[in-house]
Amino acid sequence: MPGIVIVGVQWGDEGKGKATDLLGERTDWVVKFNGGNNAGHTVVIGDEKYALHLLPSGILSPGVNAVIGNGVVIDLEVLFAELGALQARGVDVSRLKVSANAHIITQYHRTLDKVTERFLGKRMIGTTGRGIGPTYADKINRTGIRVQDLFDENILRQKVEGALDQKNHLLVKVFNRRAITVDEVVDDLLSYAERVRPMVCDTGLLLSDALDAGDVVVFEGGQATMLDIDHGTYPFVTSSSATAGGASTGSGVGPNRLDRIVGIVKAYTTRVGSGPFPTELFDEDGDFLRSRGFEFGTTTGRPRRVGWYDAPITRYATRINGITDLVLTKLDILTGLKEIPVCVAYDVDGQRFDEVPVNQTDFHHATPILENFPGWSEDISTARTFEDLPQTAQDYVLALEKMSGTRISVIGVGPARDAVIVRHDLLD
Ligand code: GDP
Ligand code: IMO
Ligand code: MG
């Protein structure tokens, strides 16, 4: 069972980093296939806490080969800052490989991300401001800069010139910003060329060979299903394919090599940035979940919006991704609630919807139809088997499993690496 995909089910921050880390010791390769440094994965190992943005969290496991795939957008300054910080803490990062086809986030992408958001005013998406959207826009527009361009100064200069020809008009005339010179961008990018060169290769070939050899490859998704450019709550989404299909296009490995699709889902829901969120809470239950779950962005520090578990979203994600196993995280955060409401369907202007509505306006109008489950007060953080959980916690998990259409294989009961209950081995 060598090809394993990890995807977020909700709006991100489900604990994907912890899930990758859980597989760590038995993994040979971990590849990030989408997104960039908009992601934020917190991984707790012993007393050490690591926050990763651009690098796949699998890099923390000794002996694992980490890969940044072609579907990723790379901010070179962030890449080397993260590598340096890990090295300083004794993490071996020498095995990192970077796709020659990955696109590069430049200064003008970061600037455009920030000024377009400001321009949108009330309609803003609430992006992370890292230049993600403008970089993917250039990729689709065929005006992007790729990693391999760093090694041909002539081509690099031509491409930057082409991009800035248009963008400077926009920056100066529409957004009232200063023009960016070709030299400053080219010089900045070239300053990383020799450092990145030894890492760059045809990562699709590398990964296919690894799978042929029987190695275990984990495809680590950033963001999540509801933030996916096609299947998320457009336009309040990120600009990449965060669903399982993206694991194939974003790494250069055929879809028939993906054997297991693992969805990571939180026992409640959070969202950062704007957009619809039917189960969102604005009361003290919301404050309880936010402070107990420490729901503040790893990347931007913004308080996350919080709400109850939304079963139609998990069902939707199961269908869109072909999820074979779910990892239910943060069950421990619900401890102490007398009753735990779960969204089982939506009410849209008086009409019941059992599934996520395809129409954006309907989803914006959706209010949750809630079913209450009895809570528990016992500390569950030391539970290591399903039977260790109080009966009401077991019933809650079984109810979510029934509604999701797939099995819940792992349950998270605390932030630490070993704070999990494994019901079905993800590698079996
Ligand atoms: P990611 O973006 O999906 O990798 O998730 P983040 O790292 O942004 O947010 C998840 C947070 O939840 C991290 O701080 C994790 O350490 C923490 N976490 C993961 N699983 C559990 C769990 O089962 N219980 C608790 N209490 N915390 C968890
Ligand atoms: P991880 O991998 C949560 C959100 C932003 C914004 C929207 C678009 O940690 O789960 P972008 O900068 O990508 O153009 O912003 O997507 N967003 C995330 N929210 N977790 C993430 O990553 C996110 N990455 C982007 O808040 O609403
Ligand atoms: Mg995160």
Side-chain angles (χ1 to χ4, degrees):
M1 195 66 72
I4 300 162
V5 182
I6 289 190
V7 288
V9 161
Q10 296 149 322
W11 280 283
D13 306 320
E14 297 91 349
K16 298 179 290 292
K18 189 181 163 195
T20 316
D21 182 55
L22 176 72
L23 289 167
E25 276 165 27
R26 294 143 79 201
T27 303
D28 302 298
W29 300 79
V30 59
V31 49
K32 179 177 168 96
F33 62 81
N34 77 302
N37 57 313
N38 48 347
H41 307 299
T42 304
V43 179
V44 181
I45 304 176
D47 295 333
E48 296 280 310
K49 189 169 166 176
Y50 297 88
L52 293 168
H53 299 284
L54 175 57
L55 293 170
S57 11
I59 201 159
L60 297 172
S61 301
V64 171
N65 299 287
V67 174
I68 294 183
N70 58 277
V72 173
V73 290
I74 302 176
D75 187 320
L76 290 162
E77 188 183 341
V78 173
L79 174 68
F80 287 106
E82 265 188 27
L83 285 174
L86 287 185
Q87 263 170 325
R89 292 173 73 175
V91 178
D92 175 18
V93 295
S94 61
R95 277 186 299 266
L96 178 69
K97 293 292 172 213
V98 175
S99 167
N101 287 344
H103 279 248
I104 292 182
I105 302 175
T106 72
Q107 180 195 344
Y108 50 84
H109 297 114
R110 285 187 296 267
T111 304
L112 280 168
D113 193 357
K114 290 186 189 117
V115 291
T116 40
E117 278 283 276
R118 223 169 290 151
F119 212 69
L120 281 169
K122 276 212 315 261
R123 288 170 295 132
M124 75 192 284
I125 289 160
T127 73
T128 57
R130 304 295 193 262
I132 306 294
T135 307
Y136 279 113
D138 276 2
K139 171 178 175 174
I140 300 299
N141 215 12
R142 294 161 295 189
T143 52
I145 312 293
R146 298 192 295 175
V147 169
Q148 57 183 282
D149 298 328
L150 295 177
F151 312 126
D152 186 332
E153 189 176 340
N154 245 333
I155 291 282
L156 178 67
R157 192 167 287 279
Q158 277 175 36
K159 290 191 174 177
V160 172
E161 257 168 23
L164 280 177
D165 256 0
Q166 295 181 10
K167 289 185 176 38
N168 273 334
H169 283 293
L170 205 62
L171 283 172
V172 174
K173 293 178 187 157
V174 179
F175 296 118
N176 211 12
R177 304 287 291 223
R178 76 169 177 88
I180 293 172
T181 69
V182 175
D183 278 345
E184 64 187 299
V185 175
V186 170
D187 290 351
D188 179 52
L189 296 183
L190 284 179
S191 72
Y192 298 103
E194 289 317 309
R195 286 168 75 192
V196 80
R197 193 194 285 273
M199 303 171 192
V200 179
C201 65
D202 180 347
T203 46
L205 178 62
L206 196 66
L207 293 167
S208 293
D209 285 348
L211 286 163
D212 287 344
D215 284 359
V216 174
V217 180
V218 172
F219 299 82
E220 183 183 305
Q223 293 75 51
T225 305
M226 301 310 278
L227 287 172
D228 181 272
I229 185 73
D230 285 277
H231 304 292
T233 48
Y234 192 90
F236 302 103
V237 292
T238 191
S239 301
S240 68
S241 297
T243 43
S248 176
T249 52
S251 70
V253 163
N256 60 336
R257 312 303 299 268
L258 311 175
D259 303 291
R260 264 292 157 86
I261 315 289
V262 180
I264 317 300
V265 63
K266 228 180 313 210
Y268 51 97
T269 313
T270 63
R271 163 158 221 178
V272 193
S274 322
F277 183 176
T279 66
E280 184 165 16
L281 291 164
F282 301 96
D283 56 9
E284 59 273 17
D285 283 336
D287 296 337
F288 173 88
L289 292 176
R290 187 178 301 103
S291 60
R292 278 286 296 276
F294 200 68
E295 296 297 351
F296 298 89
T298 314
T299 300
T300 57
R302 290 180 286 182
R304 295 173 182 152
R305 299 160 65 192
V306 295
W308 299 123
Y309 185 86
D310 186 323
I313 283 182
T314 308
R315 213 153 46 230
Y316 176 74
T318 297
R319 170 161 58 88
I320 295 288
N321 293 289
I323 291 174
T324 58
D325 299 82
L326 286 169
V327 174
L328 180 72
T329 60
K330 293 193 144 181
L331 186 65
D332 52 304
I333 302 305
L334 301 180
T335 300
L337 291 167
K338 278 209 170 57
E339 286 203 312
I340 309 172
V342 168
C343 169
V344 296
Y346 309 110
D347 179 289
V348 180
D349 304 325
Q351 197 190 338
R352 182 185 168 109
F353 277 67
D354 287 305
E355 304 301 331
V356 172
V358 69
N359 187 302
Q360 189 201 341
T361 309
D362 286 342
F363 199 52
H364 275 265
H365 290 190
T367 56
I369 298 175
L370 298 169
E371 198 177 312
N372 283 325
F373 290 84
W376 58 91
S377 54
E378 299 91 329
D379 175 15
I380 62 168
S381 62
T382 53
R384 293 295 176 268
T385 69
F386 192 61
E387 291 67 36
D388 288 344
L389 292 174
Q391 191 58 48
T392 46
Q394 292 187 27
D395 293 345
Y396 179 75
V397 174
L398 293 176
L400 301 194
E401 181 168 65
K402 198 162 167 218
M403 287 185 265
S404 69
T406 190
R407 62 184 188 178
I408 294 178
S409 295
V410 179
I411 301 161
V413 291
R417 190 178 239 183
D418 62 346
V420 286
I421 295 170
V422 179
R423 296 173 76 207
H424 305 284
D425 191 334
L426 295 177
L427 285 176
D428 257 358

